[in-house]
Amino acid sequence: AQSVAQPEDQVNVAEGNPLTVKCTYSVSGNPYLFWYVQYPNRGLQFLLKYITGDNLVKGSYGFEAEFNKSQTSFHLKKPSALVSDSALYFCAVRAVEYGNKLVFGAGTILRVKS
Amino acid sequence: GAVVSQHPSRVICKSGTSVKIECRSLDFQATTMFWYRQFPKQSLMLMATSNEGSKATYEQGVEKDKFLINHASLTLSTLTVTSAHPEDSSFYICSAREEGDTEAFFGQGTRLTVV
């Protein structure tokens, strides 16, 4: 099974509407979970991470993510999407079983239309 | 967040030549640096991990003699693509992590085109 799965290649949402970008993971133990965003021809920008503690993590640019251990999910959310949020989003996991290296999902393109 | 600077952002080189890409951590000491390769519309593929002062650890299938990595200081790592060929054309991204930190920070990426 994929260690990190982003089941949607693309998510389309209207500006002002809430958005969700899905991520599930399949590693043992207590992994660290991350979300990054990538704009065209640029590197990755860190959005947020879950290490321990509150399941709801707040990050940059109004994004948040909810860690759900029973569902092994870490979906990225934002209450009100902006056109400027349109980008490629990567979920990543860091776990002992992967040598503490970041393992990335395939990425999800988010398109926000005005 | 911490800043990682990668240079150059774009490079075009002739087949058979070598190209060096630099990755610098500007405001922290990067005990570990990572080099990734990204194909169009695909995820990042880890090529190698380097710790300051030691040899890089390459992922399976990555030719260490072709992709030379040097991490001589706590703020600088370099990737040299030797004897480049058109199939080496790709987007290369570095990231850096300070010892004890949980997240890594990424450079802006380098678009390499081999003609």
Side-chain angles (χ1 to χ4, degrees), chain A residues 19 37 39 61 63 78 80-87 89 110 112:
Chain A
L19 70 88
V37 60
Y39 294 95
Y61 313 119
F63 284 94
K78 187 171 181 180
S80 178
L82 300 172
V83 173
S84 57
D85 292 330
S86 299
Y89 289 80
L110 173 65
V112 182

Side-chain angles (χ1 to χ4, degrees), chain B residues 4-67:
Chain B
V4 175
S5 176
Q6 187 173 340
H7 178 80
S9 57
R10 288 180 181 271
V11 59
I12 300 172
C13 71
K14 291 185 178 179
S15 192
T17 62
S18 296
V19 172
K20 181 184 282 189
I21 302 170
E22 291 188 350
C23 182
R24 293 180 185 274
S25 58
L26 299 186
D27 51 3
F28 67 102
Q29 294 188 324
T31 45
T32 307
M33 285 190 170
F34 306 87
W35 287 94
Y36 296 85
R37 185 172 178 176
Q38 185 180 29
F39 292 100
K41 298 184 180 180
Q42 292 191 27
S43 190
L44 280 72
M45 181 193 80
L46 180 64
M47 299 174 65
T49 302
S50 72
N51 292 297
E52 184 263 339
S54 29
K55 289 184 179 180
T57 302
Y58 289 81
E59 295 299 303
Q60 193 171 10
V62 178
E63 298 176 59
K64 61 180 181 181
D65 293 330
K66 180 162 187 64
F67 299 100

Side-chain angles (χ1 to χ4, degrees), chain A residues 24-89:
Chain A
T24 58
Y25 65 94
S26 57
V27 298
S28 57
N30 298 309
Y32 297 168
L33 298 160
F34 304 84
W35 275 102
Y36 288 87
V37 60
Q38 185 181 32
Y39 294 95
N41 293 308
R42 301 301 301 272
L44 273 63
Q45 292 180 34
F46 170 77
L47 281 179
L48 50 79
K49 65 181 177 183
Y50 174 82
I51 306 300
T52 187
D54 276 345
N55 289 343
L56 185 63
V57 178
K58 293 190 182 295
S60 306
Y61 313 119
F63 284 94
E64 58 189 32
E66 186 166 11
F67 171 66
N68 187 317
K69 188 166 186 175
S70 62
Q71 296 185 2
T72 61
S73 67
F74 190 55
H75 302 330
L76 181 71
K77 300 182 180 185
K78 187 171 181 180
S80 178
L82 300 172
V83 173
S84 57
D85 292 330
S86 299
L88 179 58
Y89 289 80

Side-chain angles (χ1 to χ4, degrees), chain B residues 71-115:
Chain B
H71 190 171
S73 80
L74 283 171
T75 59
L76 174 64
S77 176
T78 60
L79 167 67
T80 301
V81 183
T82 62
S83 186
H85 290 285
E87 57 265 30
D88 298 325
S89 299
S90 192
F91 194 58
Y92 293 87
I93 306 175
C94 72
S95 74
R97 190 172 74 203
E98 190 168 15
E99 187 171 1
D101 263 6
T102 52
E103 76 259 28
F105 295 93
F106 286 77
Q108 306 94 316
T110 298
R111 172 74 59 193
L112 171 63
T113 304
V114 185
V115 297

